[in-house]
Amino acid sequence: LVGIGCDAKVAYDFHTTREERPDKFSSQFVNKLIYAREGAKHMMDRSCSDLPWHVSLEVDGKNIEIPEDAEGVIILNIASYMGGVDLWQNDNNHDDDFSSQSMHDKMLEVVCISGTWHLGKLQVGLSRAHRLAQGRVIRFHLHSSFPVQVDGEPWIQPPGCLEISHRGQMFMLRRPSEEPTGHAAAVMSDVLVNAECNGVIDAAQKRLLLHEIALRLSS
């Protein structure tokens, strides 16, 4: 998950405050209060309200217009943001032609949000993110420095181009509800991991075997 704009700014300010005063961050509850305070502060000053004029978006070689009220743009490929918020919302009706989100199609989804107040409403299910695009190669062209975060790790990105694309996939074994099959899957996964660690097979062979096992268990 990649975010640029208001969500990254809140994460960055939280991070810098924690670096400067680690003694204040004594518990998970206190951390959440400080994070909420940072969000409320940015809700008032709207420090990223000029994002559409400082950031350009390109998806698979096509320029995508960022709405003027956007204060953040988020790239994702899973249906979970901020602890479980579904930004793409496959199950709801939409007035666009985008495909359903999938972790397996090597496509990335792009949405925008209109500030930290909008983020708060998203968390409690009172609003939707604005779906902007789907594609395989996403480029941000930054015309000035702007906050960026990747999976919660924030920084201030200087002017330039950020390119995000799909890199690879890993096959995973999922434990089915039937206990005997689930136990077998867990045992086989442990065996393959151990074999890789001992040099019996390499990473590519392990992925191939995991894929084959997953297919057979699901049939």
Side-chain angles (χ1 to χ4, degrees), residues 41-104:
K41 182 174 68 176
H42 290 289
M43 182 174 65
M44 300 300 294
D45 62 26
R46 300 187 62 204
S47 57
C48 295
S49 59
D50 56 350
L51 180 145
W53 292 272
H54 291 272
V55 178
S56 301
L57 174 64
E58 179 187 335
V59 179
D60 290 343
K62 297 180 180 179
N63 293 325
I64 304 297
E65 182 178 356
I66 299 176
E68 291 188 2
D69 64 343
E71 296 185 25
V73 178
I74 299 169
I75 300 174
L76 59 151
N77 73 332
I78 60 173
S80 180
Y81 173 71
M82 293 192 307
V85 178
D86 181 3
L87 294 181
W88 197 252
Q89 297 186 342
N90 283 344
D91 296 333
N92 293 340
N93 294 324
H94 299 276
D95 57 354
D96 55 46
D97 297 324
F98 296 127
S99 303
S100 294
Q101 184 182 54
S102 171
M103 292 186 291
H104 315 297

Side-chain angles (χ1 to χ4, degrees), residues 4 46 48 50-51 61 118 123 164-165 174 183 195 209 212:
I4 180 168
R46 300 187 62 204
C48 295
D50 56 350
L51 180 145
H118 190 193
Q123 281 196 300
I164 301 98
S165 60
R174 183 179 65 181
H183 178 70
L209 289 169
E212 185 63 27

Side-chain angles (χ1 to χ4, degrees), residues 1 17 24 43 60 68 76 78 94 96 130 144 146 171 193 204 216:
L1 186 147
T17 303
K24 285 188 174 183
M43 182 174 65
D60 290 343
E68 291 188 2
L76 59 151
I78 60 173
H94 299 276
D96 55 46
H130 184 167
S144 62
F146 237 82
F171 290 103
V193 170
R216 291 178 180 272

Side-chain angles (χ1 to χ4, degrees), residues 9-24:
K9 185 67 166 66
V10 173
Y12 180 77
D13 287 348
F14 176 85
H15 173 74
T16 53
T17 303
R18 184 170 54 184
E19 290 288 309
E20 294 169 357
R21 294 293 306 274
D23 55 297
K24 285 188 174 183

Side-chain angles (χ1 to χ4, degrees), residues 130-191:
H130 184 167
R131 309 200 315 179
L132 290 179
Q134 280 181 308
R136 298 184 183 277
V137 180
I138 316 296
R139 292 189 180 93
F140 284 125
H141 299 280
L142 282 73
H143 312 300
S144 62
S145 297
F146 237 82
V148 175
Q149 62 94 6
V150 175
D151 290 338
E153 295 295 329
W155 72 93
I156 300 298
Q157 176 66 33
C161 177
L162 286 179
E163 180 175 301
I164 301 98
S165 60
H166 179 273
R167 180 173 180 178
Q169 289 178 317
M170 291 294 294
F171 290 103
M172 305 295 292
L173 293 179
R174 183 179 65 181
R175 184 186 295 273
S177 57
E178 297 81 12
E179 183 57 31
T181 309
H183 178 70
V187 170
M188 286 184 282
S189 180
D190 289 342
V191 169

